[in-house]
Amino acid sequence: MSPRHPAQVIVLGFAAAILAGTLLLTLPTSRVGPGGAGFLEALFTATSAVCVTGLTVVDTPAYWTGVGQVTILALIQIGGFGIMSFASLLGVLLARRMGLRSRISTAAETKSTGIGDVRSILVGILRTTLLVEGVTAVILAGRFHLGYGRPPAESVWLGVFHAVSAFNNAGFALFSDNLTGFVGDPWICLPVAGAVILGGLGFPVLFELRRHFRYPRKWLMTTKLVLSGTLVLLVLGTVFITAVEWSSPATLGPLPPGERVLAGFFQSTMTRTAGFNSVDIGQLHPVTLLAMDVLMFIGGGPAGTAGGLKITTFGVLFFILYTEISGGNAVNVFGKRLPRSVHRQAISIVLLAGGLVITATMVLMLITDFGLDRILFEVVSAFGTVGLSTGITAGIPSVGQVILILVMFAGRLGPVTLASALALRSRPLQYEYPKERPLIG
């Protein structure tokens, strides 16, 4: 029996893409040296790429051949674009039509308001993706060639790969030390950070900014929540990380003041679910790791390439809390009232996400010797599809790596599918039970 619920279709679509990517990465042509990659290494890498996470158990530039790297890049692009969106776009381009089921699944994945505008949304996503990735790739390629003397062909490849990885918030890099070699280079760090921020805003926000950039009063609540939340989290994250690590000899301490601020901003941006790092994450202070846990758990904007709970979910919870503290009766956000169904959805997502992170962390603590701060960071990074790591991923036993695979998969699809499922399960009741108030606190 074929799946009918959009959430089921999305989950199976991502699973199929991961399986296909795993099979491609196990081919001998994908791995450097004799023989193909191990199944677990291929599965972990494919899951990380499709779920646009960036966690790795092998050294990407040293372990994978050009074929393997192209495969990873394709998986990142497909995963960031959205499996159902990508499949529907192919259908539009090849057959110039979409079936009703494809429209419904794509609408659920892209958070469209209706199934009639799916075609225009897909075209808009494609144009936005190519524009941002193209501009970023040109800047990076030029810098690699002019600033570091890389050959033209290699510079173009490096520019394209890191541009796609950045906009899709994946964090895969073609350098063994990620981007730590460019910690003080604004021509590398700022374009990558800019692409990450744009990808993390989400396509609905980007589309509305294009239409009503000069008229903030016309912005929907989602756009206002995402923009204000992104600005606040970026600033707070930059200030906190820079302040805590300012004098650390293992991270920001050896850098000039301007480069310290740049590195702090870059790492704050990367907690928006992109796993690039310009400093050694394993050398960060435990307090910094905990703060980054919070930022990674919150994530970016909905219906984009970011992961985590999403800023909108966190914003809803914040205004619920504010309303309770201030003694209000209704939760109002930017002059609009939130439906109670949204309260329940946000609370449900947070509780389930928290339960998943806590459970995975406890299991990994039982089977490894790593400390709580490193394990929690790894799990939250996997759930938020961030990809930042303290360097323990490859040292985790096979069972633990499988757990991280499941966490990455749930983190990429959980909030989307759960929100869709909760919304579609809503049905009016013909009766209500009597009210009774339990003691709280």
Side-chain angles (χ1 to χ4, degrees), residues 193-270:
V196 168
I197 292 172
L198 290 175
L201 292 178
F203 292 111
V205 173
L206 294 177
F207 292 163
E208 185 159 49
L209 289 178
R210 186 181 63 183
R211 292 194 301 265
H212 305 301
F213 181 77
R214 298 182 179 180
Y215 307 99
R217 292 185 178 181
K218 295 184 178 181
W219 292 353
L220 297 176
M221 184 187 298
T222 296
T223 300
K224 295 178 180 179
L225 281 173
V226 171
L227 292 180
S228 58
T230 297
L231 179 61
V232 170
L233 294 176
L234 281 176
V235 172
L236 291 180
T238 300
V239 172
F240 188 89
I241 294 173
T242 305
V244 174
E245 300 294 332
W246 185 265
S247 301
S248 174
T251 54
L252 303 186
L255 302 174
E259 293 184 8
R260 296 184 201 183
V261 175
L262 175 63
F265 169 74
F266 188 80
Q267 289 310 145
S268 176
T269 302
M270 294 309 116

Side-chain angles (χ1 to χ4, degrees), residues 24 110 119 204 215 221 242 266 277 343 379:
L24 290 174
T110 59
R119 185 193 298 267
Y215 307 99
M221 184 187 298
T242 305
F266 188 80
N277 62 283
H343 305 188
V379 172

